[in-house]
Every structure is written in structure tokens, then in C-alpha cells.
């Protein structure tokens, strides 16, 4: 998304989202290593074509981030409440805080964009 988003506020939101994702992945890697679990491979750069045209508008991505954050808030709360290990509870606690921050950022941008739309 960062390669295609043109709106500076949406771009900034995606940068923040990426920072959170990288932070969460670091914590999960440490937990997996401590438990001697294999790390999943997941997505790689080979599956991304940065030269492809954008599939969606910046507005779509803004709404998408906002909606996914609401799902994250629900999921992280449930995950925290069913976790016994302290390191896992600590992780989901921080994920909840991060998701609340992301929610606040996304809703503020959405409200701002809506006000601009109404005024024009």
C-alpha cells in the first residue's frame, strides 16, 4: 500500500500500521523461539509486484484499516481473556493498546475527510 497510496494522511496511517505490525512480529518471533516453535514463512517479497497499478482508492484503504482495527480490538480482547501464559497476555495487552491508538488515528482521519466532503 505504501507504494501506491497518494493521500499523505492515509500514507502516514499505513506507516504507523506497518510499525505496529513489525513490532508485533518481533514479539511473536521471540515467543516462538523461546518455545522452540518453527517460524512460519508467511508472505514474502516474491508475492508482491510493486509495479502493478493500484487496485483500490486511498479512501477504500482508509476505511479498510479502520474496519480491520475494529476486528483487531475484538480479537485481541478475546485472545487476552483466554491466555494463560504471562508473555502471551502481555503481548495481547499491548496489542489492545496499539489497536486503540490505531482506531483513534483512523477515526480522526475519517471524520476529517467526511467534514471536507460535506463542506465541498
Amino acid at each position: 500500500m505504501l507504494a501506491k497510496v497518494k493521500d499523505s494522511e492515509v500514507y502516514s496511517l499505513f506507516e504507523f500500521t506497518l510499525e505496529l505490525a513489525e513490532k508485533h512480529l518481533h514479539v511473536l518471533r521471540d515467543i516462538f523461539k523461546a518455545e522452540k516453535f518453527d517460524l512460519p514463512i508467511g508472505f514474502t517479497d516474491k508475492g508482491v509486484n510493486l509495479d502493478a497499478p493500484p487496485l483500490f482508492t486511498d479512501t477504500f484503504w482508509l476505511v479498510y484499516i479502520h474496519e480491520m482495527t475494529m476486528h483487531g480490538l475484538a480479537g485481541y480482547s478475546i485472545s487476552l481473556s483466554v491466555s494463560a501464559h504471562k508473555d502471551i497476555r502481555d503481548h495481547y495487552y499491548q496489542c489492545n493498546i496499539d489497536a486503540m491508538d490505531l482506531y483513534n488515528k483512523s477515526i480522526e482521519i475519517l471524520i476529517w475527510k467526511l467534514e471536507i466532503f460535506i463542506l465541498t
Side-chain angles (χ1 to χ4, degrees), residues 33-62:
K33 286 178 185 176
E35 295 296 325
K36 297 182 177 44
F37 291 150
D38 290 334
L39 293 176
I41 294 171
F43 296 105
T44 67
D45 291 340
K46 294 177 184 176
V48 178
N49 178 2
L50 294 177
D51 296 323
L55 295 175
F56 303 103
T57 65
D58 292 358
T59 303
F60 172 86
W61 287 120
L62 174 58

Side-chain angles (χ1 to χ4, degrees), residues 6-82:
K6 293 175 181 62
D7 184 294
S8 62
E9 291 169 310
V10 177
Y11 186 91
S12 176
L13 185 66
F14 264 97
E15 281 185 317
F16 180 69
T17 304
L18 182 59
E19 289 170 17
L20 293 179
E22 289 172 347
K23 179 174 77 168
H24 294 175
L25 284 173
H26 180 74
V27 171
L28 291 173
R29 279 188 194 106
D30 290 348
I31 291 170
F32 273 54
K33 286 178 185 176
E35 295 296 325
K36 297 182 177 44
F37 291 150
D38 290 334
L39 293 176
I41 294 171
F43 296 105
T44 67
D45 291 340
K46 294 177 184 176
V48 178
N49 178 2
L50 294 177
D51 296 323
L55 295 175
F56 303 103
T57 65
D58 292 358
T59 303
F60 172 86
W61 287 120
L62 174 58
V63 172
Y64 175 82
I65 285 290
H66 181 72
E67 292 287 328
M68 292 307 293
T69 301
M70 289 190 292
H71 293 292
L73 285 166
Y76 291 141
S77 295
I78 292 168
S79 296
L80 173 68
S81 69
V82 298

Side-chain angles (χ1 to χ4, degrees), residues 9 66 102-114:
E9 291 169 310
H66 181 72
L102 184 55
Y103 178 86
N104 282 332
K105 288 178 186 294
S106 67
I107 194 72
E108 289 301 320
I109 296 170
L110 280 167
I111 290 169
W112 172 251
K113 299 288 183 189
L114 182 59

